[in-house]
Every structure is written in structure tokens, then in C-alpha cells.
Amino acid sequence: MNKRWISLIIILAVVGSLGFIQFGDKYIMPLFSEPEQGKVWEYAHGVDRNGNIYYIQQEQEQVFLISLDSTGRQSFKKDISGLVLLNGIFDGIYTDEDKNLYLPAYGMAADSSRITQVGIYRFRDDGSFVSRVFYRSIDRPYDSKFRLISAMSDDDARLYFGFLNGDALDTYAYDKTTSKLENTHSYSLAGIQDHINACLVLPSGDAVLSLENSTLLRKSNRHEDTTYQFTQGKVIIHSFWYAGNQLYFQDAVRGDMYFSSSSIWEPYLAMRGSKVVAENGSITFGKLYPLTVGNAGNVAGVYNEGNLNRIFQGGFIFLPEIGTTDASSTRDLTAWFLLLGIAVGWLIFSLLIWDFYCNILHMRLSMLIRQALLVILVIFLTLYALATYIILPQSEEMIGSVHLTEQIKSGQMLLASAKGHITDETGLELDSTRAAAFFDQLGQNQSLALPGEEQGAQSYRSLKEAQLSLLTSDQGQYVVAASNSNYEEGFPAARMGYGKDFLNGIQKAEQNTIQAMALTGPKGEELCVLIPTGLTSAGSAVVLGLIVDLEVLKQYIAQTTGDLTLYMGLIGLVLVLLVMIVEYFTVHNVRKLKSNVDRIAEGRYEKEVAVSSGDEVEELSHSIHALSQSILVTTRSLNKLNQSYYRFVPQRFLEIIGETHIENVGKKSQAQKENVVMLFLRFRFLGSVGEQSQEIFANINDVFENVAPVVSDGTGTVYDFLPEGFNAVFETPPEEALRTALRVREVLEGLNEKRRKKGQGLVDLRILITKGNIMLGFIGEEKRMEPTAISSEAQKAEPIIRVCFESDIYIACTREVIKELPILGYRRRRIGEMMIQGEKIELYDLFDSDPYALLKSKEVHGERFELGVNLFIKRDYDNARTMFMDIIKYNSLDGAARNYMYLAEHNLRSELQQTTYTTLSELEKIR
């Protein structure tokens, strides 16, 4: 197995480990583990006229709206976590005649058992969100009477509901079409607001309320209030439903379902709670919880069997089982698709890293980086495994055990303090009246200042947010005997919303065994402690139920585990630093040797490679130093040779044709440049330059040595040295070439001053700047080649420069150049058109570097010169001659004006006219 495949296996393992750390707990492990009881909660059920069932499922931090069709198959599962209230409790789903869904929600304050928000949210039957119907901010404790939104009703146009606002019931009508909410009435609830079990608002505006002591109350804004008293024993109506013109309500004690016409107020029994709905005879109508009635009078109910919820749906005559829902999250098909996506992503990401390592890094990493990555990975994975599977679970278990012990002690202390206040004279029999009074006072007293409480006792303070209930058996079911959460005496424990484990725990606690369990209720995960009291009620044992929110404990555990994780991370960091320090000293000499070798590779050979490790690395350093000295000698010889080459072939010339080293040059080394700036420089000696070759070459080279460096420094590339000058090409804008020409003129003045002092002949120099296409390359045979340039502009330049010498023009340029120069930057004048090789070329005089007298004359007479040129072009030779004569009268040194004057005179006298600019000598050649 070669290095490539080994690296792939390592990368797959590393990326897989990191991916498992990132996604394992949330997405991977739940798919392969047994479902945890109580981690998922289903509630807020509703059913429409077609038998489609809707309910809310809460999984950890997510809230889903789920729909099942009439056969029990799931239609959709929509995540509505971002649409509804945070920390929400949901209470029933109402489906109107148009199959719109209305979901009441109550928002809980963080770390508290207080309701702070209430709202109603509207959805379509496909689960899509429509709008928020109603919203209020409130502040009240959460107890059994937390329902502040009444049961709803509707007609073709509007939805009707009520809001229990303290000692008043505010009724509202919501227009389904315009979404307008109207407050229709407000009923006074003075004296009964704390005794309401359930409420329903009818389309007529009437409100039906279920009160304690088996009483129904109907309030109306059209006539007097009416009441109905149940006489067949204890009846607790805990839910209302509206269907067509009927209203349905259920007794929580027996599970009986009643109905009544909304117009004629007379309850009738629709179905007894003892009616068997399953074939095996163990499931009765009263055991279906939660239960909901649709607007067509159809019924849907749920029977809980641990993680499995059996669904029954039909009518009051026939209520068959249609399917089940799994309360765990392991059977969600989307989770398997997500796992598949994670696996594909892991594979693609690993292959990308592998490709980068193989093709970009070429499977090479520095020793320090490779060792560091390996050490960091090993330490990180080791600490992660220790923290995840040993330290953190043990810490959570220990904290949970301490918290549970505190709750048990708190419950026992409460029970010991309360026994004298909740029993009869014997001290063994529960007095329900005294117990109810005690727990009512306990529920109102938020500080829980109980008899016997020690000052600052933490165990009592831990009960401040607890739900406390005395539970006993009555007629075969467990009921509430007294509670601080406003549960009415006789309320079935099965309908408190904690499932079968809660009932099984009560049964075990009756056997004098303390029970503790984590349950999921409407508020989320809660800790339930069931403590035997030693008391009896009508011959049945009494159990104290203590239920506290686990959110505070979770936060404390999260904080503790976060601190542990931080400490583990710091330990890991310290270990990594220690290993890195050791590793640094281990590879220090190797890295030092590498840095010296890199310096040699950069061409710095003088410094000795100083490594004193006393091992093979030091011997290698001596060998490298000897090698560097040998390379240094050879390099210096090569540099001298290259410098000799570059004296004949400029480095910049090589760069223009695309070569980097002169040894690569051949006859095929060439390049064509379009529209580049070219500078042509020619000079003459005013006086003798000597007769001996030594004197002649010395004078010519004297000019070149002063002038050529100026062009090279100005980004120009000099080529074609001639006895009378040279040519240069610029790959920059024309202005750079012009600035170079001006500097050349300045240098020439200094050179002439020196030559004047030495008694040598002065140098007269002219420059032409033009633009055009040029071909650069080498010509010759294989053993002898020279750089050259071929351009039509070079052929045109020679006659133009001759004209410049005879026209007192020191720097000239063509129209193509003048167009790219700043308008106000340089002094200029138009000379006019010249006929060169059958082509008209417009010439300009740039006279910033002219001798002072000539410069001032050109500047003063610039307009007259321009006028004369225009007259000449218009063939008004007489006036043109007069204009140029006037200029020469003031300054006879202006050669261009003098030439124009002679040309005008010639055209006046001769039939063969010269219409373009030239000099007298050139004119004679034409003749």
C-alpha cells in the first residue's frame, strides 16, 4: 500500500472523527439508539370534518405541526419553531369550516413557571402559516387553570373566542377574510375567576364556563346568566368543543362526553367514559387522552402506550383504531436522508482534502506541521473521548443525583411540616378540606414560608417553582386530593399530562417506595418525585407528588459541563504546547539547516551553515557549506559572463521578446509590438572629432555614456547603437518618453559645458518621438546574432530628423503622440505636414528644452507662427511669407519660420509648388 492510499485512509479517519464529533450526538446516534422515554411530546390535537388529524410534536428545541389523514398516514410534518412563541405550551387545535387551523400558544418565562405571552396562530390545512390572529403580554403563574384562551367556534365569516383577562372574559370575533379582529364584549368574572376549569365562546357571543363543584355557567349579553348543576356525583368539565350547532364537553372524572344545542341549554350524555373502544376490552373511551371533537361531530383520541400512541378516529357510535404515532424521533425518514447527506459530504470533503494534499501540496508537509497535526489530533480525540463518555456523563449523573436528593429532602421536610395542617385529629387520615386550604395558601404564597421553615433553608427555596399535589386512589383511578396548582379535588391524575409512567410511579409509591423520574409534560422536561406520606384517604394511601422544572438543572449542568469542557480544553492546550516545545527543539536543527539551504537557494552563499548538534545533521551542514562555496565561485564566474552578454543585449530587450535568460535566445526569439512609443535620437559634433579612430570612438562613446543611461532609467529600451545616435522603444505612455527626452537635453547641456571647458567640439542632438508597430528579434547566423528592430517608423524617422536639424527643432513628435500628451503640460507648436515616403506626417515642435532665446521667440510668436502655417496650408503664400518674415525679423534663429518663408517665396515664383513642409536642402533634392 503506497503513500497515496495511506494518506487517503488517514484523511477519511480524521474527517470522519471530526464529523462524528460535530454531528454524532444530534443526527447519528439517535438513529442507532433506543428511543428515550419522554424525549418527544405530542399534544394540542385537532381533527377536521374529513377526519384529518393535526397535532403538535415537540422534540428537544423544535416544534412540529403534523397531520395524519383519516387512515393514520402522515401527510406532512412542518417545523414551526420560528413562527410560534418560544418556550411555548400549546392547547388544542381548532379546525374551522374552511379547514383552517387555529393554534393557541402560551409563552413561558425562561427559568420560571410564569406565563408571559399568549397568542393564536392561523395555519392552512397543508401546514403553511397564514398569520397571527391574537397576541397579549401577561404575567401569571402556570397551574391547572393556565388556559387563558377559550375553546373556539366559527361560522361562515368569523372565528369566535374569548380571553380570560383577570376578572373579566373578553370575547373576540376574527374575520377570516380581512383578518380583522374585533373585541365584541367583556363579561365580568368577579368572584369566579379562580374557579374556572374551561370556557367556550359561541357564535352568538354567549360564553359557556365550567366551574368547580360540578357547575356550568352560561353568560349572555342578551339575557340573564343561566347555570346547570350536575347531580350525578363529582363532575369536572375540563374541555369544550364546538361542532356545527352543537357544543360538546367532557367530564375529566369519568370520561363521559356530553353535548348540548347551542340554542337550547340542556346537556345530554353522548358517550360514557366506560364504553370500550378497543377489541381487547382494556381501552375505554375515558382512557383516551388527549381527545378532540371536530366541527362535524367526529371524534379523535389517543391512547398512550409508552413511546407509542394509538390513534382512534370516528364517531360516538363507532370509534375504530386507525393507526399509531411513534413518540421517538428515530423513525423520521428525513433523518436517514440527512445522515446520507452527511456521509456524502464527509466523503466529498475528504476527497477534496486528499486531492489538495496530493496535487497541490504534492504529499509534502513540513515535519513540524505534520507532527503538530498528529499530536493535536491524538490529544483532542483522547480528551474528547474522556470528556464525552466518562467525565461529563459522570458529572451529569452526580449533579442530577444531588439535585434529586435535594428534592426528596425538600419534599420530606415539607411533608413533615404540613402533616399537622392536612390531617384529622388522629394524624393518620387526610382531611381533604384542611389539605385543600393548606395547598391553596401554599400556591398563593410564592415565598413558601411554611411552618417550621428554618431561616435561609435552601431545601424550601428549591420548592418555590414546584407543582405539589396529594394523590390518592378513588374508584379505581388516581385523583388529586389537594394541589397548589388549582387542580380541583377529584381531578384524575391521568389527565395531568404526564403519561403512564406517572401513574405507574404513583402505584409504586403506594408501596412505601420513593419514586423519581424524568417526565415530559406540557412545559417540557420535568423531574417528578413521588413520596409516600403514610396517610390514607378513604382507605387508600396518599402520595405526595413533587414536580419541578428541569430547565434550571439543565442550565446548571450545561454550565458545569461547559466549565469542565473548558478545563479539558485548557489541559489539551497545555499538553499541545508542551509537545510542541519538545517537538520544536527536536526539529530545531533540521529547520535551521533548511533555512540555510533556502538562503543558498536564494543565491546567498557567503554565510557559513552553523549547526552544532553533534550528529549527522552537523556533518550534513559542513557538506552543504562546502557545496555552497563551490557554487559561489561558479556563480561569480557566470555573473561576469552574463554581464558581458548584457552589454551587447539589454536585459529589458530580452524581457520584451519574452525571454528571461540570454542562453535561451535564438533566431526564433522575436516579438511584435503594436502601437508602441519609439524614440529616435541623433547627434552631430559641432567641430572636429579627431582623425584617429581612438579619438572618434572616444567622442561618440562620451555622448552615449551620458545619454543612453538616461533613456534606460526612463523605462526605455535602447537598441541599434549607431555612430550618430540610437533608437529606443517605450512600453509606457508617450509622456514618459517626452520626459526622458527633456532629461536627455538637460544632460546634454552639462556634457557640452564640460566639452567646452576641455576645448572639444560641442554636440548638437535632436530627438523624434513617434508611435507605431515594431518587430523585435535577433538576426544573424547560429554562431553570431545581433538584436535589432524592424519598423517602418524607423525608415520615416531619418528624413524627419534631418529636417529637425535644419529647422531648429530639438524635440519633435508626430500627431499620434501629441494626442496623448497633456494639453497644458508642455510648450508646443504645430510645424505642419511633411511628405515622407509618399505619406503625409504631421509634425510638432516640443520646445521646452530649446535655448532660452529661441524658446522665448517661439513662445512669443506662437500664434503668428500658427497663423502663418494655416495661411500656407490654404495656399495664401503671399500673406504666409509676410507672416514668417515678421517672425524672422525678430529672431533669425527660428529655422522652421525661415524654411516656411523660403517655401512660400518658392511657391510664388515657381510653377512646381511645394505644399508640405520641408527644408531648403530637401527642396533642392526634390528639384
Side-chain angles (χ1 to χ4, degrees):
M1 186 179 293
N2 59 28
K3 185 177 179 181
R4 290 176 63 89
W5 294 110
I6 293 175
S7 64
L8 176 60
I9 294 173
I10 294 174
I11 290 173
L12 287 172
V14 171
V15 176
S17 301
L18 297 178
F20 180 81
I21 292 172
Q22 179 68 28
F23 303 108
D25 291 341
K26 187 173 182 181
Y27 300 113
I28 301 175
M29 293 302 294
L31 294 173
F32 301 99
S33 60
E34 290 297 324
E36 297 184 57
Q37 174 72 16
K39 291 296 183 182
V40 179
W41 181 249
E42 296 176 0
Y43 50 154
H45 291 66
V47 61
D48 63 18
R49 65 174 68 186
N50 296 331
N52 298 313
I53 299 173
Y54 307 92
Y55 63 94
I56 296 297
Q57 186 179 82
Q58 198 159 10
E59 301 177 13
Q60 298 177 349
E61 302 298 326
Q62 292 179 292
V63 179
F64 296 96
L65 173 61
I66 300 177
S67 172
L68 306 178
D69 63 18
S70 58
T71 64
R73 292 178 300 183
Q74 188 178 106
S75 300
F76 63 78
K77 181 178 181 180
K78 296 291 183 69
D79 186 353
I80 61 172
S81 307
L83 302 174
V84 297
L85 298 175
L86 297 176
N87 301 320
I89 301 173
F90 305 95
D91 178 39
I93 296 177
Y94 180 74
T95 60
D96 65 11
E97 296 179 356
D98 302 319
K99 298 176 66 175
N100 290 303
L101 312 180
Y102 298 90
L103 174 65
Y106 301 90
M108 303 288 291
D111 306 334
S112 172
S113 292
R114 301 194 69 81
I115 300 175
T116 58
Q117 304 170 82
V118 59
I120 301 175
Y121 299 86
R122 180 182 178 185
F123 297 85
R124 295 186 180 90
D125 61 347
D126 61 356
S128 57
F129 178 71
V130 178
S131 65
R132 187 173 68 180
V133 174
F134 177 80
Y135 177 82
R136 289 290 184 276
S137 294
I138 59 172
D139 184 17
R140 61 151 292 161
Y142 172 84
D143 55 31
S144 65
K145 296 179 173 51
F146 74 92
R147 292 187 180 92
L148 305 179
I149 299 294
S150 73
M152 304 177 193
S153 63
D154 76 297
D155 54 25
D156 292 338
R158 301 202 287 182
L159 173 79
Y160 305 93
F161 64 92
F163 172 57
L164 292 170
N165 189 11
D167 59 355
L169 173 63
D170 297 332
T171 61
Y172 293 88
Y174 171 75
D175 192 299
K176 301 177 187 179
T177 303
T178 64
S179 299
K180 181 180 180 181
L181 184 65
E182 179 184 358
N183 185 192
T184 57
H185 196 70
S186 181
Y187 294 107
S188 174
L189 302 177
I192 63 171
Q193 66 269 22
D194 295 329
H195 305 283
I196 300 173
N197 293 321
C199 178
L200 169 67
V201 174
L202 300 171
S204 62
D206 292 359
V208 181
L209 296 93
S210 167
L211 304 179
E212 295 177 357
N213 300 319
S214 308
T215 303
L216 295 179
L217 172 65
R218 179 164 180 164
K219 301 182 75 67
S220 174
N221 57 4
R222 302 184 304 277
H223 45 75
E224 294 182 356
D225 297 348
T226 56
T227 60
Y228 179 84
Q229 186 72 40
F230 289 94
T231 59
Q232 58 271 38
K234 185 74 171 180
V235 175
I236 302 176
I237 301 300
H238 69 99
S239 297
F240 284 104
W241 297 273
Y242 180 81
N245 196 35
Q246 306 281 352
L247 59 148
Y248 294 83
F249 39 97
Q250 188 180 29
D251 173 22
V253 178
R254 299 177 183 83
D256 296 342
M257 180 67 76
Y258 296 88
F259 76 97
S260 174
S261 171
S262 61
S263 56
I264 302 174
W265 183 230
E266 185 66 33
Y268 295 95
L269 183 65
M271 179 180 282
R272 292 193 180 276
S274 58
K275 180 178 178 179
V276 176
V277 296
E279 294 180 357
N280 57 17
S282 63
I283 303 178
T284 62
F285 183 78
K287 292 182 179 180
L288 298 181
Y289 180 81
L291 186 79
T292 183
V293 179
N295 56 13
N298 50 330
V299 184
V302 176
Y303 181 75
N304 178 258
E305 290 184 344
N307 281 334
L308 192 66
N309 290 330
R310 298 171 62 181
I311 303 174
F312 296 81
Q313 197 268 127
F316 290 107
I317 298 176
F318 179 63
L319 191 62
E321 181 178 355
I322 65 168
T324 62
T325 64
D326 188 353
S328 71
S329 59
T330 60
R331 299 186 181 182
D332 189 355
L333 187 60
T334 59
W336 289 99
F337 282 114
L338 180 60
L339 176 61
L340 178 61
I342 292 174
V344 173
W346 158 70
L347 181 60
I348 293 175
F349 186 66
S350 299
L351 292 176
L352 288 175
I353 295 178
W354 185 53
D355 181 70
F356 176 79
Y357 175 71
C358 294
N359 297 325
I360 305 299
L361 299 180
H362 303 292
M363 294 191 294
R364 299 185 64 85
L365 283 176
S366 71
M367 183 185 301
L368 187 60
I369 293 178
R370 185 172 61 248
Q371 296 286 52
L373 290 175
L374 180 62
V375 168
I376 291 172
L377 181 64
V378 171
I379 292 177
F380 178 75
L381 292 179
T382 302
L383 292 178
Y384 174 80
L386 286 173
T388 303
Y389 300 106
I390 299 177
I391 298 176
L392 295 183
Q394 293 292 332
S395 301
E396 292 178 8
E397 183 179 351
M398 180 179 64
I399 295 171
S401 177
V402 171
H403 182 73
L404 175 60
T405 302
E406 287 183 356
Q407 300 306 320
I408 293 174
K409 289 181 179 179
S410 300
Q412 291 172 333
M413 293 177 64
L414 171 66
L415 186 60
S417 301
K419 276 189 175 180
H421 301 273
I422 61 176
T423 59
D424 60 6
E425 293 79 2
T426 66
L428 299 175
E429 183 73 16
L430 180 69
D431 188 328
S432 59
T433 303
R434 297 185 69 192
F438 177 82
F439 275 92
D440 283 344
Q441 181 62 37
L442 183 62
Q444 296 172 10
N445 188 357
Q446 294 298 320
S447 62
L448 297 180
L450 304 175
E453 177 185 2
E454 297 178 4
Q455 184 67 26
Q458 293 295 330
S459 44
Y460 283 104
R461 292 179 182 174
S462 67
L463 298 177
K464 184 172 183 179
E465 299 288 344
Q467 176 182 320
L468 301 166
S469 302
L470 291 176
L471 306 166
T472 188
S473 178
D474 181 22
Q475 297 182 2
Q477 67 175 341
Y478 293 110
V479 298
V480 176
S483 173
N484 69 338
S485 298
N486 285 329
Y487 282 111
E488 188 176 351
E489 181 185 356
F491 188 84
R495 297 186 181 275
M496 294 175 67
Y498 296 106
K500 278 197 168 184
D501 285 349
F502 181 57
L503 303 179
N504 294 334
I506 298 174
Q507 184 179 8
K508 293 177 182 179
E510 285 184 320
Q511 310 302 320
N512 288 325
T513 304
I514 296 177
Q515 298 295 312
M517 64 201 75
L519 301 174
T520 300
K523 291 197 301 179
E525 282 196 85
E526 298 177 273
L527 174 64
C528 175
V529 179
L530 299 169
I531 304 173
T533 63
L535 305 177
T536 60
S537 176
S540 299
V542 177
V543 175
L544 173 65
L546 184 153
I547 299 175
V548 293
D549 194 350
L550 283 178
E551 187 63 31
V552 176
L553 176 62
K554 285 183 177 180
Q555 291 186 359
Y556 178 68
I557 291 176
Q559 180 181 355
T560 303
T561 54
D563 293 341
L564 287 174
T565 304
L566 176 62
Y567 296 148
M568 296 290 287
L570 292 176
I571 292 173
L573 180 61
V574 171
L575 290 176
V576 169
L577 290 176
L578 290 176
V579 174
M580 290 296 293
I581 291 173
V582 174
E583 186 68 23
Y584 173 79
F585 285 109
T586 302
V587 301
H588 171 70
N589 289 321
V590 175
R591 292 193 295 110
K592 188 175 181 181
L593 182 61
K594 178 184 179 302
S595 64
N596 286 301
V597 173
D598 291 340
R599 185 168 58 250
I600 293 174
E602 294 172 359
R604 294 179 289 167
Y605 309 104
E606 294 82 2
K607 189 173 180 180
E608 182 179 359
V609 180
V611 175
S612 301
S613 59
D615 54 17
E616 290 83 358
V617 176
E618 183 176 353
E619 294 176 1
L620 179 61
S621 70
H622 294 323
S623 300
I624 292 175
H625 179 65
L627 177 63
S628 69
Q629 295 303 308
S630 175
I631 293 174
L632 178 61
V633 173
T634 304
T635 301
R636 286 175 176 173
S637 176
L638 290 175
N639 287 339
K640 291 180 180 179
L641 181 60
N642 286 335
Q643 290 174 3
S644 299
Y645 286 145
Y646 290 136
R647 291 162 68 183
F648 297 95
V649 182
Q651 177 67 34
R652 196 176 297 172
F653 189 91
L654 294 178
E655 295 173 358
I656 292 176
I657 63 174
E659 298 289 353
T660 56
H661 296 89
I662 195 168
E663 60 267 24
N664 298 328
V665 169
K667 287 186 289 184
K668 294 183 179 180
S669 300
Q670 54 188 261
Q672 181 171 346
K673 299 293 180 178
E674 296 182 356
N675 203 29
V676 297
V677 179
M678 289 173 276
L679 183 146
F680 300 95
L681 183 148
R682 299 293 183 267
F683 59 85
R684 297 174 181 176
F685 290 99
L686 304 178
S688 174
V689 293
E691 297 179 358
Q692 301 296 325
S693 61
Q694 183 177 359
E695 293 178 334
I696 295 173
F697 280 103
N699 281 285
I700 294 174
N701 288 329
D702 187 26
V703 178
F704 286 145
E705 288 173 359
N706 283 273
V707 172
V710 177
V711 178
S712 298
D713 293 342
T715 69
T717 301
V718 178
Y719 67 94
D720 283 353
F721 279 100
L722 305 171
E724 66 276 8
F726 59 77
N727 304 334
V729 61
F730 287 79
E731 293 187 287
T732 55
E735 187 177 7
E736 182 62 33
L738 175 56
R739 285 198 292 262
T740 299
L742 294 174
R743 287 195 295 271
V744 167
R745 292 288 301 168
E746 293 175 1
V747 170
L748 181 65
E749 290 182 8
L751 175 63
N752 280 334
E753 183 63 29
K754 292 179 182 178
R755 294 180 66 85
R756 185 181 293 109
K757 291 179 180 180
K758 293 180 181 180
Q760 297 175 333
L762 302 182
V763 180
D764 184 12
L765 184 148
R766 309 300 162 103
I767 297 173
L768 170 65
I769 303 172
T770 184
K771 289 189 69 174
N773 301 334
I774 188 171
M775 292 182 291
L776 302 172
F778 288 84
I779 58 176
E781 51 94 14
E782 193 64 33
K783 296 181 179 180
R784 176 73 173 89
M785 291 181 288
E786 291 184 357
T788 189
I790 301 173
S791 174
S792 60
E793 302 300 323
Q795 299 174 2
K796 300 173 186 176
E798 294 302 330
I800 295 177
I801 291 179
R802 287 199 302 271
V803 169
C804 291
F805 272 107
E806 298 180 22
S807 302
D808 296 311
I809 299 173
Y810 293 93
I811 299 177
C813 70
T814 61
R815 180 175 180 81
E816 289 76 19
V817 172
I818 208 72
K819 288 191 297 185
E820 298 185 30
L821 294 178
I823 297 176
L824 302 177
Y826 305 94
R827 298 180 180 93
R828 71 188 73 179
R829 67 176 182 175
R830 182 170 62 117
I831 298 300
E833 292 181 340
M834 294 182 60
M835 184 64 68
I836 305 295
Q837 297 179 0
E839 180 183 350
K840 288 185 178 181
I841 297 175
E842 191 166 10
L843 192 66
Y844 286 81
D845 179 11
L846 302 169
F847 55 88
D848 276 309
S849 64
D850 284 16
Y852 181 75
L854 181 59
L855 184 151
K856 295 306 294 183
S857 174
K858 291 180 179 180
E859 192 172 28
V860 170
H861 301 290
E863 293 183 1
R864 297 177 64 83
F865 185 87
E866 179 69 19
L867 181 59
V869 171
N870 290 333
L871 291 172
F872 185 87
I873 293 173
K874 295 177 181 179
R875 302 192 179 187
D876 187 354
Y877 300 121
D878 189 26
N879 289 324
R881 179 184 60 181
T882 303
M883 190 66 64
F884 290 120
M885 287 179 64
D886 291 341
I887 295 173
I888 295 172
K889 186 186 303 181
Y890 289 102
N891 186 3
S892 60
L893 298 178
D894 191 344
R898 184 172 56 254
N899 288 331
Y900 262 121
M901 181 188 70
Y902 290 142
L903 289 173
E905 179 71 25
H906 167 76
N907 290 340
L908 288 173
R909 296 175 179 273
S910 174
E911 293 181 0
L912 182 61
Q913 296 188 348
Q914 178 67 26
T915 59
T916 58
Y917 179 77
T918 187
T919 62
L920 290 178
S921 59
E922 293 296 324
L923 183 60
E924 290 298 327
K925 293 179 182 179
I926 295 174
R927 290 179 181 179

